[in-house]
Amino acid sequence: MDEAMDEGMDTPKNGPHETFKEAMEALEGSLNTLHAKIVRVAERHYALVEAQEKSVTEWKDKGILRLGTHRKGNHVQVKWYTIKWFGKGAARREVKASIRKSAKEDTFSMAHLKENAKEWEWPIVEKTELEMALLRKQASFVVKAMTSLRYASMAARKYDDLYSEPGDE
């Protein structure tokens, strides 16, 4: 058989389970890269907001929008929430309220974000959300691919268990 034809065939070295494992490792690498990009965008956002807030002296002029990122296993979450401050001086405490994301899309309503952003903060928030929406969507597709690959691997194992002849290995 021709080497080029043999490349895609299931050989002991390149069996379906090894192929699934390699594909899963590649997808995990993609998710790690996306998560690293999300963290960089969030850090840039915080740096820009913090630099602006240093020049603001009144609490009423400080931004109330915050960006939260979270990753647990293959779940990557990026969300916006608002902060409201209560109390005075050292007794001051914050209360967070989540902003809901559209159920059909991987983005937050720009109108709702603009409504909660300070005038100086809006260009920063808008740019950040546009970038995060793309990264959220990409992460969503990678996680769906990982799930599909897991099911494909389980189906291959089930097939092997049901139909492999003794001594086929």
Side-chain angles (χ1 to χ4, degrees), residues 13-157:
K13 181 180 176 191
N14 189 24
H17 303 295
E18 187 63 30
T19 304
F20 289 134
K21 183 179 174 192
E22 290 169 4
M24 187 61 78
E25 287 170 357
L27 288 170
E28 287 171 354
S30 294
L31 193 59
N32 290 338
T33 300
L34 287 169
H35 181 252
K37 286 179 183 178
I38 287 169
V39 169
R40 280 194 303 273
V41 170
E43 287 173 349
R44 186 193 70 224
H45 174 82
Y46 286 128
L48 291 170
V49 168
E50 190 175 291
Q52 282 285 45
E53 284 192 340
K54 283 183 180 177
S55 64
V56 174
T57 56
E58 298 289 322
W59 275 98
K60 66 181 177 69
D61 296 328
K62 292 188 183 267
I64 63 166
L65 272 178
R66 295 294 183 266
L67 179 64
T69 62
H70 174 75
R71 178 174 182 187
K72 184 174 182 178
N74 294 333
H75 178 72
V76 178
Q77 186 178 44
V78 179
K79 67 180 189 175
W80 291 96
Y81 53 95
T82 58
I83 299 284
K84 297 209 182 205
W85 293 95
F86 295 97
K88 292 186 179 192
R92 196 170 189 83
R93 65 183 180 88
E94 65 181 41
V95 175
K96 297 178 186 177
S98 292
I99 295 176
R100 294 181 60 152
K101 184 171 59 112
S102 171
K104 296 180 182 178
E105 299 177 21
D106 281 323
T107 187
F108 287 83
S109 162
M110 288 296 196
H112 196 91
L113 289 174
K114 188 171 186 173
E115 177 183 306
N116 286 291
K118 300 294 180 188
E119 189 176 320
W120 60 264
E121 188 181 28
W122 173 241
I124 300 168
V125 170
E126 182 180 34
K127 181 179 181 183
T128 301
E129 177 53 23
L130 290 172
E131 288 180 64
M132 289 300 195
L134 291 172
L135 293 170
R136 258 189 236 105
K137 189 60 136 174
Q138 290 174 37
S140 167
F141 284 129
V142 169
V143 170
K144 286 175 186 173
M146 292 171 87
T147 302
S148 295
L149 188 61
R150 253 187 230 108
Y151 283 119
S153 178
M154 288 173 15
R157 278 195 202 98

